[in-house]
Amino acid sequence: MALTDVLDVLREHWDEVQEYLDETAKAAVVTLLDTPAVDPERTARRIARLVLAALPDGHPVRVPLEDSVRYSRAVHTGAIDGTAVLRALDLFRGPSPIPPEDADDWLLAADSVSAADYRADGHDPADPDLIRLTDRQGAVRLPSFQFDGASGRPLPVVVAVNRLLDADDDPWGVADWWLGANTWLDAVPARLLGTPGEHGLLAAARAEIAEW
């Protein structure tokens, strides 16, 4: 999937899309566009997931956006002029409300436990099969969806997916996979935990790897 494919869909339908995005989602999209894309395909997937997570089922923009995520294999190798894109999309009437380094704040805003609290409960926060997110103050947070509510232990399916997607090496990308909309599942993966839909999580993770 190319970043330009996602931008084309958003540019064409922005008036229809922006009314569904809250300020946090808008800010995250802006920041992703304003930050030079080291991996444009991953940036495109993150933008698409943010938008798809906000759009209701049956919204007409879901189809072209999901098609872009599923089928496009073009690779954009040039730099993206984030400012020009923002003007074209008219995301905001003023400056971006958050600086580029805050691109992942929406992930930190998810329910989580501190490494210290997790350790105090008798568990190992350094487990390489867990997503560990470090904020700018150096505090380590572990997203709560990873754990069984009763025992506090990592859920086996979460461990399997985290290991497959290499959460130890790419915690932000794997957190984004869990907490953003997934077109293969037509759902946010973390919301399927504890439901019959969780049986498709490993297959969806394998499908993600196949796109890389």
Side-chain angles (χ1 to χ4, degrees):
M1 173 184 54
L3 180 56
T4 48
D5 295 327
V6 172
L7 295 181
D8 285 344
V9 173
L10 292 179
R11 184 180 295 111
E12 182 178 355
H13 300 284
W14 185 249
D15 287 343
E16 306 165 51
V17 168
Q18 63 176 339
E19 62 183 278
Y20 293 99
L21 301 180
D22 61 23
E23 292 306 310
T24 300
K26 285 183 181 180
V29 171
V30 168
T31 303
L32 286 167
L33 290 172
D34 248 347
T35 304
V38 175
D39 184 345
E41 293 188 36
R42 171 162 286 181
T43 297
R45 286 196 297 270
R46 296 182 69 182
I47 293 172
R49 286 173 182 156
L50 281 166
V51 174
L52 286 169
L55 292 179
D57 292 343
H59 192 284
V61 176
R62 293 190 69 92
V63 175
L65 196 57
E66 288 172 350
D67 284 348
S68 176
V69 172
R70 287 188 179 117
Y71 302 119
S72 175
R73 291 296 184 270
V75 178
H76 178 80
T77 58
I80 294 293
D81 182 347
T83 303
V85 170
L86 293 181
R87 282 200 301 268
L89 295 177
D90 193 23
L91 296 179
F92 287 95
R93 295 296 181 184
S96 172
I98 55 176
E101 62 266 22
D102 287 345
D104 291 310
D105 272 9
W106 72 282
L107 295 174
L108 288 171
D111 187 48
S112 64
V113 297
S114 71
D117 286 344
Y118 191 64
R119 183 181 294 106
D121 287 338
H123 307 296
D124 180 13
D127 184 343
D129 291 329
L130 294 178
I131 297 168
R132 302 180 304 279
L133 305 178
T134 305
D135 64 23
R136 287 184 302 283
Q137 286 72 48
V140 175
R141 310 292 302 181
L142 294 88
S144 298
F145 71 80
Q146 301 178 99
F147 309 116
D148 177 88
S151 68
R153 296 187 181 92
L155 294 166
V157 66
V158 171
V159 168
V161 169
N162 285 354
R163 188 175 297 164
L164 186 65
L165 297 180
D166 197 4
D168 190 38
D169 185 61
D170 184 19
W172 295 99
V174 180
D176 175 83
W177 185 89
W178 277 107
L179 296 170
N182 185 286
T183 56
W184 201 92
L185 293 164
D186 195 25
V188 174
R191 295 177 186 170
L192 297 180
L193 293 168
T195 77
E198 77 173 15
H199 298 299
L201 290 170
L202 267 175
R206 292 188 184 103
E208 177 79 5
I209 291 174
E211 291 184 0
W212 293 353

